[in-house]
Amino acid sequence: MNTRFNDTDFDSKSIAICSWVTCYVGLGSNLANELGAPVEHLQHAFEMMQEQEKIRTVRISSFYASVPMGPQDQPDFVNAVAGFETIFTPFELLTFCQQLEQQAKRARLRHWGERSLDVDILLYGDERISEPTLTIPHVGLHERNFALIPLRELAPELMIVGKPIIDYPQSSDWIGLKLLEHDASSHK
């Protein structure tokens, strides 16, 4: 699927006046559909990030298998984190993430249930946002090893709300998480 985002999808005039902000997004998938398997959904999302003109220097973590956080009667998830710089505002980035989910034909079957693609903004620079549609840092980030371990892989010196990532216990807790054997060159 070669869907492109048009300049009209976002305010292209903001490119010249905004500064680049370092962001991290978490990606997860445990549902195959006609567009591909979970690993393919993550790979396609990474490709779309790399092609977006308002995103640069995309770095991708390894892929990890994780047990579901919610209902246990669903397949394990494949998770990863992407780090990049962007000139999207936080809400523009949210829109972009939701478009990635829609491209993967995400269906919300149940809360914390199976999905073809979930894309969550984990961190947007040092911003703290608490709005009905967006919370940054991501709610529960400090409790989720499937987000913190790949995040630590990308940024071992990262500070989250003034605290080093290594000081979050879940950033080194491998319970329910497994590094997937996957050709890194296919998604970096």
Side-chain angles (χ1 to χ4, degrees), residues 1 3 5 25-29 37-52 55 58 60 63 80 82 84 96-97 99-104 116-120 187:
M1 184 167 152
T3 304
F5 295 101
V25 297
L27 295 98
S29 175
V39 167
E40 293 168 312
H41 292 307
L42 269 59
Q43 288 172 328
H44 182 71
F46 291 137
E47 291 166 8
M48 293 291 91
M49 288 176 202
Q50 291 169 326
E51 293 175 10
Q52 174 48 245
I55 293 176
V58 180
I60 313 313
F63 287 1
F84 52 82
F96 177 73
C97 291
Q99 289 175 338
L100 292 175
E101 292 173 345
Q102 291 167 2
Q103 283 186 355
S116 56
L117 184 63
D118 187 31
V119 184
D120 293 325
H187 68 268

mmCIF file of all heavy atoms in Angstrom, residues 1 3 5 25-29 37-52 55 58 60 63 80 82 84 96-97 99-104 116-120 187:
data_model
loop_
_atom_site.group_PDB
_atom_site.id
_atom_site.type_symbol
_atom_site.label_atom_id
_atom_site.label_comp_id
_atom_site.label_asym_id
_atom_site.label_seq_id
_atom_site.Cartn_x
_atom_site.Cartn_y
_atom_site.Cartn_z
ATOM 1 N N MET A 1 0.846 -1.177 0.000
ATOM 2 C CA MET A 1 0.000 0.000 0.000
ATOM 3 C C MET A 1 0.885 1.230 0.000
ATOM 4 O O MET A 1 1.713 1.409 0.879
ATOM 5 C CB MET A 1 -0.882 -0.032 1.240
ATOM 6 C CG MET A 1 -1.862 1.081 1.303
ATOM 7 S SD MET A 1 -3.031 0.658 2.600
ATOM 8 C CE MET A 1 -3.520 2.245 3.088
ATOM 9 N N THR A 3 0.196 4.647 0.294
ATOM 10 C CA THR A 3 -0.551 5.854 0.629
ATOM 11 C C THR A 3 0.419 6.946 1.016
ATOM 12 O O THR A 3 1.343 6.735 1.784
ATOM 13 C CB THR A 3 -1.510 5.570 1.801
ATOM 14 O OG1 THR A 3 -2.343 4.483 1.427
ATOM 15 C CG2 THR A 3 -2.341 6.795 2.112
ATOM 16 N N PHE A 5 0.792 11.089 2.367
ATOM 17 C CA PHE A 5 0.086 12.190 3.000
ATOM 18 C C PHE A 5 0.337 13.425 2.158
ATOM 19 O O PHE A 5 1.462 13.722 1.775
ATOM 20 C CB PHE A 5 0.579 12.402 4.426
ATOM 21 C CG PHE A 5 0.273 11.231 5.317
ATOM 22 C CD1 PHE A 5 1.245 10.300 5.634
ATOM 23 C CD2 PHE A 5 -1.000 11.047 5.812
ATOM 24 C CE1 PHE A 5 0.957 9.217 6.430
ATOM 25 C CE2 PHE A 5 -1.301 9.954 6.612
ATOM 26 C CZ PHE A 5 -0.320 9.048 6.916
ATOM 27 N N VAL A 25 7.558 7.527 19.676
ATOM 28 C CA VAL A 25 6.243 6.911 19.569
ATOM 29 C C VAL A 25 6.385 5.406 19.744
ATOM 30 O O VAL A 25 7.358 4.810 19.289
ATOM 31 C CB VAL A 25 5.518 7.244 18.235
ATOM 32 C CG1 VAL A 25 5.254 8.735 18.114
ATOM 33 C CG2 VAL A 25 6.278 6.734 17.045
ATOM 34 N N GLY A 26 5.408 4.834 20.410
ATOM 35 C CA GLY A 26 5.364 3.392 20.579
ATOM 36 C C GLY A 26 4.423 2.799 19.551
ATOM 37 O O GLY A 26 3.382 3.389 19.239
ATOM 38 N N LEU A 27 4.795 1.655 19.023
ATOM 39 C CA LEU A 27 3.968 0.963 18.051
ATOM 40 C C LEU A 27 3.723 -0.464 18.516
ATOM 41 O O LEU A 27 4.611 -1.095 19.078
ATOM 42 C CB LEU A 27 4.645 0.924 16.680
ATOM 43 C CG LEU A 27 4.822 2.293 16.044
ATOM 44 C CD1 LEU A 27 6.223 2.802 16.281
ATOM 45 C CD2 LEU A 27 4.536 2.225 14.569
ATOM 46 N N GLY A 28 2.503 -0.930 18.290
ATOM 47 C CA GLY A 28 2.172 -2.294 18.650
ATOM 48 C C GLY A 28 1.157 -2.871 17.679
ATOM 49 O O GLY A 28 0.345 -2.144 17.107
ATOM 50 N N SER A 29 1.226 -4.179 17.497
ATOM 51 C CA SER A 29 0.293 -4.876 16.621
ATOM 52 C C SER A 29 0.208 -6.330 17.048
ATOM 53 O O SER A 29 1.216 -6.935 17.409
ATOM 54 C CB SER A 29 0.764 -4.792 15.163
ATOM 55 O OG SER A 29 -0.079 -5.563 14.324
ATOM 56 N N ALA A 37 0.811 -8.947 8.278
ATOM 57 C CA ALA A 37 0.962 -9.481 9.631
ATOM 58 C C ALA A 37 1.445 -8.352 10.548
ATOM 59 O O ALA A 37 1.836 -7.286 10.076
ATOM 60 C CB ALA A 37 1.972 -10.629 9.604
ATOM 61 N N PRO A 38 1.443 -8.572 11.864
ATOM 62 C CA PRO A 38 1.863 -7.523 12.790
ATOM 63 C C PRO A 38 3.223 -6.890 12.477
ATOM 64 O O PRO A 38 3.345 -5.662 12.487
ATOM 65 C CB PRO A 38 1.864 -8.227 14.146
ATOM 66 C CG PRO A 38 0.736 -9.220 14.019
ATOM 67 C CD PRO A 38 0.866 -9.715 12.596
ATOM 68 N N VAL A 39 4.233 -7.681 12.173
ATOM 69 C CA VAL A 39 5.551 -7.115 11.857
ATOM 70 C C VAL A 39 5.452 -6.208 10.624
ATOM 71 O O VAL A 39 6.044 -5.125 10.588
ATOM 72 C CB VAL A 39 6.607 -8.226 11.647
ATOM 73 C CG1 VAL A 39 7.876 -7.684 11.007
ATOM 74 C CG2 VAL A 39 6.931 -8.908 12.975
ATOM 75 N N GLU A 40 4.683 -6.622 9.642
ATOM 76 C CA GLU A 40 4.522 -5.814 8.427
ATOM 77 C C GLU A 40 3.797 -4.501 8.715
ATOM 78 O O GLU A 40 4.126 -3.470 8.126
ATOM 79 C CB GLU A 40 3.781 -6.614 7.362
ATOM 80 C CG GLU A 40 4.599 -7.793 6.863
ATOM 81 C CD GLU A 40 3.781 -8.767 6.020
ATOM 82 O OE1 GLU A 40 2.672 -9.155 6.459
ATOM 83 O OE2 GLU A 40 4.261 -9.126 4.930
ATOM 84 N N HIS A 41 2.829 -4.518 9.625
ATOM 85 C CA HIS A 41 2.143 -3.275 9.999
ATOM 86 C C HIS A 41 3.134 -2.280 10.608
ATOM 87 O O HIS A 41 3.113 -1.091 10.278
ATOM 88 C CB HIS A 41 1.008 -3.546 10.985
ATOM 89 C CG HIS A 41 -0.147 -4.301 10.408
ATOM 90 N ND1 HIS A 41 -0.804 -3.903 9.261
ATOM 91 C CD2 HIS A 41 -0.769 -5.428 10.824
ATOM 92 C CE1 HIS A 41 -1.778 -4.762 8.998
ATOM 93 N NE2 HIS A 41 -1.775 -5.698 9.935
ATOM 94 N N LEU A 42 4.015 -2.768 11.482
ATOM 95 C CA LEU A 42 5.019 -1.892 12.093
ATOM 96 C C LEU A 42 6.003 -1.386 11.038
ATOM 97 O O LEU A 42 6.332 -0.195 11.001
ATOM 98 C CB LEU A 42 5.767 -2.614 13.212
ATOM 99 C CG LEU A 42 5.179 -2.482 14.617
ATOM 100 C CD1 LEU A 42 3.771 -3.003 14.724
ATOM 101 C CD2 LEU A 42 6.076 -3.142 15.638
ATOM 102 N N GLN A 43 6.451 -2.258 10.166
ATOM 103 C CA GLN A 43 7.392 -1.850 9.119
ATOM 104 C C GLN A 43 6.783 -0.781 8.224
ATOM 105 O O GLN A 43 7.451 0.209 7.884
ATOM 106 C CB GLN A 43 7.818 -3.064 8.275
ATOM 107 C CG GLN A 43 8.732 -4.003 9.009
ATOM 108 C CD GLN A 43 8.985 -5.284 8.227
ATOM 109 O OE1 GLN A 43 8.134 -5.767 7.481
ATOM 110 N NE2 GLN A 43 10.163 -5.852 8.424
ATOM 111 N N HIS A 44 5.533 -0.939 7.854
ATOM 112 C CA HIS A 44 4.878 0.041 6.984
ATOM 113 C C HIS A 44 4.757 1.390 7.698
ATOM 114 O O HIS A 44 4.990 2.440 7.095
ATOM 115 C CB HIS A 44 3.506 -0.460 6.536
ATOM 116 C CG HIS A 44 2.821 0.493 5.610
ATOM 117 N ND1 HIS A 44 3.226 0.709 4.313
ATOM 118 C CD2 HIS A 44 1.772 1.321 5.821
ATOM 119 C CE1 HIS A 44 2.459 1.626 3.765
ATOM 120 N NE2 HIS A 44 1.562 2.020 4.653
ATOM 121 N N ALA A 45 4.420 1.370 8.973
ATOM 122 C CA ALA A 45 4.321 2.620 9.733
ATOM 123 C C ALA A 45 5.676 3.323 9.781
ATOM 124 O O ALA A 45 5.748 4.555 9.607
ATOM 125 C CB ALA A 45 3.805 2.335 11.150
ATOM 126 N N PHE A 46 6.753 2.573 9.984
ATOM 127 C CA PHE A 46 8.082 3.166 9.991
ATOM 128 C C PHE A 46 8.419 3.784 8.636
ATOM 129 O O PHE A 46 8.987 4.878 8.549
ATOM 130 C CB PHE A 46 9.148 2.133 10.365
ATOM 131 C CG PHE A 46 9.079 1.687 11.799
ATOM 132 C CD1 PHE A 46 9.219 0.357 12.115
ATOM 133 C CD2 PHE A 46 8.876 2.588 12.830
ATOM 134 C CE1 PHE A 46 9.155 -0.074 13.429
ATOM 135 C CE2 PHE A 46 8.814 2.178 14.149
ATOM 136 C CZ PHE A 46 8.956 0.833 14.453
ATOM 137 N N GLU A 47 8.063 3.092 7.571
ATOM 138 C CA GLU A 47 8.305 3.625 6.221
ATOM 139 C C GLU A 47 7.570 4.945 6.015
ATOM 140 O O GLU A 47 8.116 5.889 5.438
ATOM 141 C CB GLU A 47 7.883 2.603 5.165
ATOM 142 C CG GLU A 47 8.777 1.381 5.113
ATOM 143 C CD GLU A 47 8.166 0.226 4.318
ATOM 144 O OE1 GLU A 47 7.102 0.402 3.672
ATOM 145 O OE2 GLU A 47 8.753 -0.872 4.356
ATOM 146 N N MET A 48 6.332 5.018 6.479
ATOM 147 C CA MET A 48 5.549 6.253 6.339
ATOM 148 C C MET A 48 6.173 7.398 7.155
ATOM 149 O O MET A 48 6.168 8.545 6.716
ATOM 150 C CB MET A 48 4.102 6.036 6.775
ATOM 151 C CG MET A 48 3.315 5.090 5.875
ATOM 152 S SD MET A 48 2.972 5.769 4.230
ATOM 153 C CE MET A 48 4.387 5.203 3.288
ATOM 154 N N MET A 49 6.724 7.077 8.318
ATOM 155 C CA MET A 49 7.419 8.102 9.111
ATOM 156 C C MET A 49 8.635 8.621 8.350
ATOM 157 O O MET A 49 8.882 9.824 8.302
ATOM 158 C CB MET A 49 7.862 7.530 10.455
ATOM 159 C CG MET A 49 6.748 7.277 11.411
ATOM 160 S SD MET A 49 7.392 6.493 12.920
ATOM 161 C CE MET A 49 5.897 5.735 13.531
ATOM 162 N N GLN A 50 9.390 7.709 7.761
ATOM 163 C CA GLN A 50 10.599 8.090 7.039
ATOM 164 C C GLN A 50 10.286 8.931 5.805
ATOM 165 O O GLN A 50 11.088 9.753 5.392
ATOM 166 C CB GLN A 50 11.404 6.844 6.658
ATOM 167 C CG GLN A 50 12.007 6.174 7.867
ATOM 168 C CD GLN A 50 12.588 4.808 7.565
ATOM 169 O OE1 GLN A 50 12.072 4.075 6.716
ATOM 170 N NE2 GLN A 50 13.651 4.448 8.261
ATOM 171 N N GLU A 51 9.118 8.741 5.220
ATOM 172 C CA GLU A 51 8.734 9.481 4.019
ATOM 173 C C GLU A 51 8.062 10.818 4.323
ATOM 174 O O GLU A 51 7.921 11.644 3.427
ATOM 175 C CB GLU A 51 7.805 8.620 3.159
ATOM 176 C CG GLU A 51 8.504 7.410 2.569
ATOM 177 C CD GLU A 51 7.555 6.493 1.815
ATOM 178 O OE1 GLU A 51 6.394 6.872 1.581
ATOM 179 O OE2 GLU A 51 8.000 5.380 1.467
ATOM 180 N N GLN A 52 7.660 11.049 5.568
ATOM 181 C CA GLN A 52 6.952 12.271 5.944
ATOM 182 C C GLN A 52 7.943 13.436 6.028
ATOM 183 O O GLN A 52 8.925 13.367 6.758
ATOM 184 C CB GLN A 52 6.234 12.057 7.274
ATOM 185 C CG GLN A 52 5.572 13.258 7.892
ATOM 186 C CD GLN A 52 4.702 14.073 6.971
ATOM 187 O OE1 GLN A 52 5.015 15.221 6.709
ATOM 188 N NE2 GLN A 52 3.638 13.486 6.465
ATOM 189 N N ILE A 55 9.026 14.936 9.425
ATOM 190 C CA ILE A 55 9.728 14.024 10.329
ATOM 191 C C ILE A 55 11.094 13.743 9.720
ATOM 192 O O ILE A 55 11.207 13.514 8.522
ATOM 193 C CB ILE A 55 8.928 12.716 10.520
ATOM 194 C CG1 ILE A 55 7.625 12.991 11.264
ATOM 195 C CG2 ILE A 55 9.769 11.674 11.248
ATOM 196 C CD1 ILE A 55 6.726 11.773 11.411
ATOM 197 N N VAL A 58 14.679 9.384 11.600
ATOM 198 C CA VAL A 58 13.903 8.312 12.233
ATOM 199 C C VAL A 58 14.848 7.176 12.635
ATOM 200 O O VAL A 58 15.641 6.696 11.833
ATOM 201 C CB VAL A 58 12.813 7.772 11.275
ATOM 202 C CG1 VAL A 58 12.016 6.664 11.948
ATOM 203 C CG2 VAL A 58 11.904 8.894 10.811
ATOM 204 N N ILE A 60 14.755 3.365 14.721
ATOM 205 C CA ILE A 60 13.812 2.313 15.063
ATOM 206 C C ILE A 60 14.456 1.354 16.061
ATOM 207 O O ILE A 60 15.594 0.943 15.869
ATOM 208 C CB ILE A 60 13.426 1.504 13.806
ATOM 209 C CG1 ILE A 60 13.063 2.379 12.611
ATOM 210 C CG2 ILE A 60 12.327 0.510 14.135
ATOM 211 C CD1 ILE A 60 12.139 3.508 12.814
ATOM 212 N N PHE A 63 12.390 -5.174 17.417
ATOM 213 C CA PHE A 63 11.010 -5.608 17.610
ATOM 214 C C PHE A 63 10.980 -6.560 18.805
ATOM 215 O O PHE A 63 11.867 -7.392 18.981
ATOM 216 C CB PHE A 63 10.485 -6.328 16.372
ATOM 217 C CG PHE A 63 10.206 -5.428 15.190
ATOM 218 C CD1 PHE A 63 10.434 -4.060 15.221
ATOM 219 C CD2 PHE A 63 9.695 -5.966 14.029
ATOM 220 C CE1 PHE A 63 10.165 -3.247 14.139
ATOM 221 C CE2 PHE A 63 9.412 -5.169 12.924
ATOM 222 C CZ PHE A 63 9.653 -3.803 12.986
ATOM 223 N N ALA A 80 7.503 -1.985 19.217
ATOM 224 C CA ALA A 80 8.744 -1.281 18.913
ATOM 225 C C ALA A 80 8.537 0.189 19.255
ATOM 226 O O ALA A 80 7.417 0.629 19.516
ATOM 227 C CB ALA A 80 9.108 -1.443 17.432
ATOM 228 N N ALA A 82 9.803 4.147 17.846
ATOM 229 C CA ALA A 82 10.504 4.982 16.865
ATOM 230 C C ALA A 82 10.847 6.308 17.533
ATOM 231 O O ALA A 82 10.020 6.882 18.246
ATOM 232 C CB ALA A 82 9.630 5.235 15.643
ATOM 233 N N PHE A 84 12.440 10.177 16.608
ATOM 234 C CA PHE A 84 12.677 11.060 15.469
ATOM 235 C C PHE A 84 12.543 12.505 15.906
ATOM 236 O O PHE A 84 12.136 12.803 17.028
ATOM 237 C CB PHE A 84 11.689 10.766 14.325
ATOM 238 C CG PHE A 84 10.242 10.748 14.744
ATOM 239 C CD1 PHE A 84 9.503 11.912 14.875
ATOM 240 C CD2 PHE A 84 9.608 9.535 15.015
ATOM 241 C CE1 PHE A 84 8.174 11.889 15.257
ATOM 242 C CE2 PHE A 84 8.275 9.493 15.399
ATOM 243 C CZ PHE A 84 7.550 10.677 15.525
ATOM 244 N N PHE A 96 -1.340 12.456 12.669
ATOM 245 C CA PHE A 96 -0.507 11.605 11.824
ATOM 246 C C PHE A 96 -0.512 10.163 12.343
ATOM 247 O O PHE A 96 -0.676 9.210 11.567
ATOM 248 C CB PHE A 96 0.923 12.159 11.761
ATOM 249 C CG PHE A 96 1.876 11.312 10.970
ATOM 250 C CD1 PHE A 96 1.803 11.267 9.586
ATOM 251 C CD2 PHE A 96 2.852 10.566 11.609
ATOM 252 C CE1 PHE A 96 2.683 10.482 8.851
ATOM 253 C CE2 PHE A 96 3.733 9.783 10.887
ATOM 254 C CZ PHE A 96 3.648 9.741 9.502
ATOM 255 N N CYS A 97 -0.364 9.985 13.656
ATOM 256 C CA CYS A 97 -0.373 8.638 14.243
ATOM 257 C C CYS A 97 -1.710 7.942 14.003
ATOM 258 O O CYS A 97 -1.757 6.752 13.672
ATOM 259 C CB CYS A 97 -0.081 8.719 15.742
ATOM 260 S SG CYS A 97 1.613 9.216 16.140
ATOM 261 N N GLN A 99 -3.701 8.522 11.514
ATOM 262 C CA GLN A 99 -3.761 8.182 10.092
ATOM 263 C C GLN A 99 -2.983 6.899 9.807
ATOM 264 O O GLN A 99 -3.414 6.083 8.990
ATOM 265 C CB GLN A 99 -3.235 9.336 9.239
ATOM 266 C CG GLN A 99 -4.180 10.521 9.225
ATOM 267 C CD GLN A 99 -3.609 11.719 8.488
ATOM 268 O OE1 GLN A 99 -2.399 11.862 8.326
ATOM 269 N NE2 GLN A 99 -4.488 12.605 8.049
ATOM 270 N N LEU A 100 -1.856 6.715 10.486
ATOM 271 C CA LEU A 100 -1.110 5.460 10.322
ATOM 272 C C LEU A 100 -1.968 4.277 10.758
ATOM 273 O O LEU A 100 -1.999 3.245 10.084
ATOM 274 C CB LEU A 100 0.191 5.497 11.133
ATOM 275 C CG LEU A 100 1.266 6.473 10.672
ATOM 276 C CD1 LEU A 100 2.432 6.479 11.660
ATOM 277 C CD2 LEU A 100 1.750 6.141 9.272
ATOM 278 N N GLU A 101 -2.671 4.431 11.883
ATOM 279 C CA GLU A 101 -3.561 3.366 12.361
ATOM 280 C C GLU A 101 -4.674 3.090 11.353
ATOM 281 O O GLU A 101 -4.983 1.928 11.066
ATOM 282 C CB GLU A 101 -4.167 3.757 13.709
ATOM 283 C CG GLU A 101 -3.167 3.816 14.840
ATOM 284 C CD GLU A 101 -3.749 4.368 16.126
ATOM 285 O OE1 GLU A 101 -4.847 4.978 16.106
ATOM 286 O OE2 GLU A 101 -3.097 4.190 17.171
ATOM 287 N N GLN A 102 -5.255 4.149 10.805
ATOM 288 C CA GLN A 102 -6.331 3.984 9.824
ATOM 289 C C GLN A 102 -5.838 3.296 8.566
ATOM 290 O O GLN A 102 -6.553 2.466 7.978
ATOM 291 C CB GLN A 102 -6.956 5.339 9.492
ATOM 292 C CG GLN A 102 -7.743 5.927 10.640
ATOM 293 C CD GLN A 102 -8.092 7.392 10.428
ATOM 294 O OE1 GLN A 102 -7.778 7.984 9.406
ATOM 295 N NE2 GLN A 102 -8.729 7.988 11.428
ATOM 296 N N GLN A 103 -4.616 3.618 8.141
ATOM 297 C CA GLN A 103 -4.057 2.956 6.952
ATOM 298 C C GLN A 103 -3.918 1.457 7.158
ATOM 299 O O GLN A 103 -4.032 0.687 6.221
ATOM 300 C CB GLN A 103 -2.676 3.532 6.613
ATOM 301 C CG GLN A 103 -2.727 4.851 5.936
ATOM 302 C CD GLN A 103 -1.340 5.297 5.507
ATOM 303 O OE1 GLN A 103 -0.335 4.659 5.795
ATOM 304 N NE2 GLN A 103 -1.286 6.402 4.810
ATOM 305 N N ALA A 104 -3.660 1.050 8.398
ATOM 306 C CA ALA A 104 -3.534 -0.377 8.714
ATOM 307 C C ALA A 104 -4.904 -1.003 8.979
ATOM 308 O O ALA A 104 -4.982 -2.154 9.407
ATOM 309 C CB ALA A 104 -2.622 -0.566 9.921
ATOM 310 N N SER A 116 -4.689 -4.139 14.597
ATOM 311 C CA SER A 116 -3.699 -4.270 13.533
ATOM 312 C C SER A 116 -2.545 -3.297 13.754
ATOM 313 O O SER A 116 -1.402 -3.605 13.414
ATOM 314 C CB SER A 116 -4.332 -4.049 12.161
ATOM 315 O OG SER A 116 -4.973 -2.785 12.111
ATOM 316 N N LEU A 117 -2.830 -2.131 14.321
ATOM 317 C CA LEU A 117 -1.765 -1.170 14.600
ATOM 318 C C LEU A 117 -2.218 -0.192 15.662
ATOM 319 O O LEU A 117 -3.327 0.352 15.588
ATOM 320 C CB LEU A 117 -1.363 -0.404 13.330
ATOM 321 C CG LEU A 117 -0.186 0.572 13.482
ATOM 322 C CD1 LEU A 117 1.109 -0.170 13.858
ATOM 323 C CD2 LEU A 117 0.029 1.371 12.206
ATOM 324 N N ASP A 118 -1.356 0.023 16.632
ATOM 325 C CA ASP A 118 -1.550 1.031 17.666
ATOM 326 C C ASP A 118 -0.314 1.910 17.643
ATOM 327 O O ASP A 118 0.811 1.392 17.700
ATOM 328 C CB ASP A 118 -1.703 0.347 19.034
ATOM 329 C CG ASP A 118 -2.088 1.309 20.138
ATOM 330 O OD1 ASP A 118 -2.787 2.303 19.851
ATOM 331 O OD2 ASP A 118 -1.698 1.069 21.296
ATOM 332 N N VAL A 119 -0.499 3.220 17.502
ATOM 333 C CA VAL A 119 0.626 4.166 17.472
ATOM 334 C C VAL A 119 0.356 5.220 18.539
ATOM 335 O O VAL A 119 -0.601 5.981 18.435
ATOM 336 C CB VAL A 119 0.781 4.836 16.090
ATOM 337 C CG1 VAL A 119 2.012 5.726 16.069
ATOM 338 C CG2 VAL A 119 0.865 3.792 14.979
ATOM 339 N N ASP A 120 1.192 5.235 19.561
ATOM 340 C CA ASP A 120 1.019 6.148 20.689
ATOM 341 C C ASP A 120 2.209 7.084 20.827
ATOM 342 O O ASP A 120 3.368 6.631 20.783
ATOM 343 C CB ASP A 120 0.880 5.364 22.004
ATOM 344 C CG ASP A 120 -0.399 4.555 22.086
ATOM 345 O OD1 ASP A 120 -1.427 5.034 21.563
ATOM 346 O OD2 ASP A 120 -0.363 3.460 22.666
ATOM 347 N N HIS A 187 14.026 -2.944 8.731
ATOM 348 C CA HIS A 187 13.189 -1.892 9.276
ATOM 349 C C HIS A 187 13.975 -0.697 9.797
ATOM 350 O O HIS A 187 13.428 0.176 10.421
ATOM 351 C CB HIS A 187 12.228 -2.438 10.340
ATOM 352 C CG HIS A 187 12.868 -2.909 11.608
ATOM 353 N ND1 HIS A 187 13.254 -4.206 11.786
ATOM 354 C CD2 HIS A 187 13.199 -2.275 12.753
ATOM 355 C CE1 HIS A 187 13.784 -4.336 12.987
ATOM 356 N NE2 HIS A 187 13.763 -3.171 13.589
#
